[in-house]
């Protein structure tokens, strides 16, 4: 019998990227083949995101153009997975008749059954959330490469008032430390060199045992020891829960990257309270200062929302002030988008669209200037990069990344191969990219614990 081909597209955050690998792991076990061409597929899946209105609009657009494939091949099954599936449930099928199945993030184990229902001409809907599902035992389907993502926990209990994630991903739950370490060991054997541990708030990671409890710092310490030549990153940290223990752990292990994504969202205490972020600007700035003392050279990125309900000009200036104080290495900046079902949705979305856009542009400009200045300061310094491949813009250059997550471009050299660690001297910088010259190779053994620039 001919095997069924599945094609999947992934939208949204890295958790969705990791989930797509879990979905493909489940389907491959059932005999499906993965294809990268939608026109060859028997099943097309969209793993979707609901975080902002425009994320959903994009997916509606995509469903619209996949319709034509469905006309050509009426047996084709079109499925919506991920956060939009969870948020809109049956409405998605009622509204978009071409959609055959809607399966939320905690029901992927049953996906093969829902697809079979659709093959038999019915519609399938699986949107129950779970308090326990972590897909601990599923082997994700990963292409060979350098970088990988591992979800170490699912869900979120923070309920920031603007955010749909607690509704689309359900309650917080963690995977066992042992299953994560086993996955890291396998990635190490396959030659992966850069692994990011994922969770909406990794600092609430817990693996509970009767006699001892393992927290996120313990998990990171264990992860760092699997293979010293493998860099370990993590995202996202909520500023309320980032512990001193975690900072000391990062400082102690050279392969735990000196990079923390620490979303601030706003620089105004009044807005932070309305957002239910549960920290103040003072707490946040203290944390940054402490982290910089404990982890010399640590870099920070952040998320910022502009135009949250009732945000005044002064609130906006307070956000810019925080950006100038922290001097982030990078930022993801968004216009507030009201999401039905969240607490903020009931607040009046009173900041006009043009004002939101203007404030967002100002924030982007400030960050651009800071990134530029910070990168300029690195000219003349030596950095260790992990070589990732040819530069996107030119085959005469290769691209690598520092452990602080900055991209460095170096002229092609036959000595340098993908996956090598090399020392480079920075000679030029823009706001988004560093340029350097090759100095030497750095050998890092799996057991190594000391790496110096
Ligand atoms: N768990 C992570 C973030 C997940 S969503 C954290 O707590 O930081 C990624 C980012 O999207 C958020 O940090 C926030 O800046 C942005 N975001 C979430 N909901 C939004 C909304 N309704 N409108 C605009 N931006 C939003
Ligand atoms: Fe959303 Fe807040 Fe949870 Fe992040 S911590 S996923 S912003 S509710
Ligand atoms: Fe989007 Fe869901 Fe991630 S809403 S950002 S895909 S958790």
């Amino acid at each position: 019998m001919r095997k069924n081909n599945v094609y999947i597209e992934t939208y949204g955050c890295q958790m969705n990227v990791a989930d797509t690998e879990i979905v493909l792991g489940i389907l491959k076990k059932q005999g499906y083949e993965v294809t990268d061409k939608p026109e060859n597929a028997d099943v097309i899946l969209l793993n979707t995101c609901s975080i902002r209105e425009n994320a959903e609009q994009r997916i509606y657009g995509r469903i619209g153009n996949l319709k034509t494939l469905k006309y050509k091949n009426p047996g084709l099954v079109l499925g919506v997975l991920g956060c939009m599936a969870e948020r809109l449930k049956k409405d998605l099928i009622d509204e978009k008749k071409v959609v055959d199945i809607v399966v939320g993030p905690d029901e992927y184990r049953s996906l093969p059954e829902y697809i079979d229902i659709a093959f038999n001409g019915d519609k399938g809907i699986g949107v129950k959330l779970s308090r326990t599902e972590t897909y601990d035992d599923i082997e994700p389907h990963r292409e060979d490469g350098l970088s990988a993502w591992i979800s170490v926990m699912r869900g979120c209990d923070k309920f920031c008032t603007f955010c749909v994630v607690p509704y689309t991903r359900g309650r917080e739950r963690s995977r066992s430390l042992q299953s994560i370490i086993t996955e890291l060991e396998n990635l190490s054997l396959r030659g992966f060199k850069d692994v990011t541990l994922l969770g909406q708030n990794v600092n609430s990671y817990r693996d509970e045992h009767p006699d001892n409890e393992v927290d996120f710092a313990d998990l990171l310490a264990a992860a760092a020891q699997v293979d010293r030549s493998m860099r370990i990153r993590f995202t996202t940290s909520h500023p309320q829960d980032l512990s001193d223990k975690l900072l000391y752990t990062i400082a102690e292990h050279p392969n735990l990257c000196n990079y923390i994504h620490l979303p601030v969202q706003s620089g105004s205490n009044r807005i932070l309270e309305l957002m239910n972020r549960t920290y103040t600007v003072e707490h946040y700035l203290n944390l940054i200062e402490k982290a910089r003392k404990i982890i010399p050279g640590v870099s920070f990125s952040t998320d910022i929302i502009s135009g949250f309900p009732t945000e005044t000009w002064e609130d906006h200036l307070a956000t810019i002030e925080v950006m100038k104080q922290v001097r982030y290495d990078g930022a993801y900046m968004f216009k507030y988008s009201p999401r039905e079902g969240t607490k903020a949705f009931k607040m009046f979305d009173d900041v006009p669209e043009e004002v939101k856009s203007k404030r967002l542009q100002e924030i982007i400009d400030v960050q651009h200037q800071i990134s530029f200045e910070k990168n300029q300061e690195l000219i003349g310094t030596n950095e260790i990069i992990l070589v990732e491949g040819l530069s996107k813009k030119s085959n005469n250059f290769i691209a690598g990344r520092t452990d602080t997550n900055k991209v460095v471009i170096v002229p092609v050299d036959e000595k340098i191969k993908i996956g090598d660690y090399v020392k480079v001297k920075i000679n030029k910088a823009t706001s988004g990219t560093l340029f350097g010259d090759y100095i030497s190779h750095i050998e890092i053994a799996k057991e190594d614990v000391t790496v110096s620039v």
Side-chain angles (χ1 to χ4, degrees), residues 421-432:
Y421 284 102
V422 296
K423 189 196 283 191
V424 297
K425 190 180 184 97
I426 307 300
N427 59 35
K428 201 173 97 182
T430 65
S431 64

Side-chain angles (χ1 to χ4, degrees), residues 51-52 162 200 236 263 265 277 303 305 334-337 339:
I51 202 80
R52 284 166 291 274
F162 50 79
Q200 293 299 348
T236 297
Q265 312 295 4
R277 286 294 288 183
D303 291 347
I305 297 178
F334 314 101
K335 259 190 271 185
Y336 170 67
S337 167
R339 310 307 289 135

Side-chain angles (χ1 to χ4, degrees), residues 219-278:
L219 171 65
L220 273 186
Q225 289 166 66
V226 169
D227 176 351
R228 294 294 184 181
S229 72
M230 191 159 79
R231 284 177 169 177
I232 308 286
R233 304 181 183 280
F234 59 93
T235 195
T236 297
S237 288
H238 190 289
Q240 190 203 347
D241 308 324
L242 190 116
S243 68
D244 290 5
K245 179 176 167 191
L246 180 72
L247 298 175
Y248 284 108
T249 305
I250 298 171
E252 188 184 333
H253 297 273
N255 57 327
L256 294 181
C257 288
N258 290 348
Y259 167 60
I260 305 177
H261 180 59
L262 197 66
V264 68
Q265 312 295 4
S266 168
S268 152
N269 281 336
R270 190 181 66 81
I271 296 290
L272 286 176
E273 196 169 341
L274 286 176
M275 288 176 161
N276 189 32
R277 286 294 288 183
T278 66

